Amino acid sequence: MTDTIGRHIVPEEPLDISDSRRDSSHRPNDDLIRIIKEVADKLAADEATRGDLKIISRALRELRHAFKVFTAYRDRRKVTIFGSARTAPDAAAYQQAVRLGRAMAEHDWMVVTGAARGIMEAGHQGAGRAHAMGLNILLPFEQVSNSIIRGDPKLVYMKYFFTRKLMLVKECDAVVCLPGGFGTIDEAMELLTLLQTGKRDLIPLVLLDEPGGDYWRSFQAFIDKQLLGRGMICEQDLRLYKVADDHHTAAAEILGFFRVYHSMRYVRERLVFRLLQPLSQSQLDEINQRFADILEEGRFEQTGALPDEADEPDLAILPRLAFTFNRRDHGRLRQLIDLVNR
């Protein structure tokens, strides 16, 4: 099969998972485990190279272990802090990260970092060992874990940047990026891409400078001139993040995001916001008036838990805002969350 410009496309082979779903004696996820095993058998049939198999094997083992560690803390809110490993303890950005980590721990949030020195150490220092989680990277040169998290069972070592970055972004409820090098820019831009395209549920992203600093303000100027100015992003995309130079502002942005809004989930064709308190009729009317442009069809409706959400009984009591989102305007979706939290 070829696409419209003649490139060869390999169709995805369908996998029959109906039997395991029908058999009530099977565990809930046996169908997915069977798919993983089938894929492994197909790799053997494909005669995949040893190098390719080593990548898959190592990545799968790393993710399995990381998921096991993080599963015990899935009910805890977490903020991931990115920033340079080269930032010295006496630097203003380091102290900013310490203050942010402390502020989030005071609200019982956990602080997740890359577990090395610099900004990562500062975030853990502020949070304290009990509120710290780490995902360190194994490099050809030694990258020692910081003294706060070293030896802690909440510290995971990973070989690949892509598995580590997946965990740092997947297992958090907010991200704060302080000044850093190539890695920090990469992490910030990947998360922005995921948020803009809907590949990651919306979470607050704060680009945090040292007090009075211009690292992220200079970056914002580049975005305004080169990306927004050239029509490569939309005005609403700017709402997917916040630039700040004060840890109080960063913490308020994160905590305010969850003041009424709790979480989101797609249920068939509808996007469902789970809320900590019901909306008033006037709020619902305002939402329908101001955000009709992001609907594929219908209206915004306030409901209880939907039948397909039965697998999350701990959230069943929460009221819902359900609607058919167009799956495009994620900056506007963030504005909707802001209105819900108002």
Side-chain angles (χ1 to χ4, degrees), residues 176-290:
V176 178
C177 298
L178 283 100
F182 293 145
T184 301
I185 295 294
D186 171 62
E187 288 149 353
M189 291 304 97
E190 176 154 341
L191 179 55
L192 266 176
T193 301
L194 294 173
L195 295 175
Q196 183 196 45
T197 57
K199 292 295 186 179
R200 171 57 166 98
D201 289 353
L202 287 178
I203 56 173
L205 167 62
V206 181
L207 307 180
L208 181 61
D209 262 317
E210 62 190 55
D214 64 354
Y215 181 96
W216 291 116
R217 284 195 293 110
S218 299
F219 184 74
Q220 180 64 60
F222 171 81
I223 290 177
D224 290 340
K225 181 178 179 179
Q226 302 297 345
L227 303 187
L228 185 61
R230 293 170 182 258
M232 295 176 180
I233 62 171
C234 301
E235 183 78 30
Q236 65 191 34
D237 292 331
L238 301 179
R239 194 58 197 89
L240 295 171
Y241 64 94
K242 184 179 185 66
V243 176
D245 67 352
D246 178 82
H247 77 280
H248 293 297
T249 302
E253 173 76 0
I254 295 168
L255 298 173
F257 186 89
F258 297 100
R259 193 179 75 82
V260 175
Y261 171 87
H262 178 277
S263 56
M264 61 186 285
R265 174 179 177 174
Y266 281 96
V267 178
R268 300 184 186 273
E269 298 304 315
R270 290 198 287 179
L271 178 57
V272 177
F273 283 0
R274 282 79 73 92
L275 309 177
L276 297 177
Q277 64 188 49
L279 301 173
S280 68
Q281 186 59 51
S282 62
Q283 286 177 299
L284 187 59
D285 291 342
E286 182 180 0
I287 288 170
N288 272 296
Q289 180 181 0
R290 290 181 53 187

Side-chain angles (χ1 to χ4, degrees), residues 19-173:
D19 289 343
S20 59
R21 283 179 174 169
R22 283 197 298 266
D23 188 346
S24 60
S25 66
H26 283 236
R27 293 168 297 183
N29 295 322
D30 276 358
D31 56 336
L32 297 175
I33 297 297
R34 184 157 67 88
I35 289 174
I36 293 172
K37 292 177 179 177
E38 287 181 12
V39 170
D41 289 339
K42 289 178 178 179
L43 284 166
D46 295 341
E47 298 183 353
T49 67
R50 184 169 182 82
D52 290 346
L53 290 173
K54 286 175 70 175
I55 292 173
I56 294 171
S57 174
R58 180 62 186 248
L60 191 61
R61 284 180 287 140
E62 285 191 355
L63 289 173
R64 186 212 66 84
H65 176 62
F67 289 152
K68 182 180 179 181
V69 171
F70 274 80
T71 293
Y73 301 93
R74 289 268 167 84
D75 61 341
R76 303 279 299 277
R77 292 288 191 191
K78 305 176 196 68
V79 55
T80 292
I81 296 179
F82 292 118
S84 176
R86 303 182 183 187
T87 305
D90 60 351
Y94 187 104
Q95 295 305 316
Q96 184 84 292
V98 171
R99 290 190 292 268
L100 175 67
R102 183 180 301 121
M104 299 311 299
E106 287 172 353
H107 287 88
D108 204 28
W109 278 56
M110 303 196 76
V111 173
V112 186
T113 80
R117 293 172 176 165
I119 295 298
M120 295 170 276
E121 178 183 70
H124 281 165
Q125 184 183 122
R129 189 178 179 95
H131 285 83
M133 298 192 76
L135 291 152
N136 207 344
I137 188 75
L138 298 171
L139 295 173
F141 51 91
E142 185 178 20
Q143 170 148 312
V144 179
S145 56
N146 66 66
S147 60
I148 294 91
I149 195 69
R150 189 179 307 142
D152 194 291
K154 303 190 300 301
L155 171 63
V156 178
Y157 287 91
M158 309 190 86
K159 178 179 180 179
Y160 296 125
F161 274 109
F162 76 90
T163 52
R164 177 179 181 246
K165 189 158 51 176
L166 170 63
M167 293 301 301
L168 285 166
V169 171
K170 174 186 178 295
E171 296 291 338
C172 70
D173 303 281

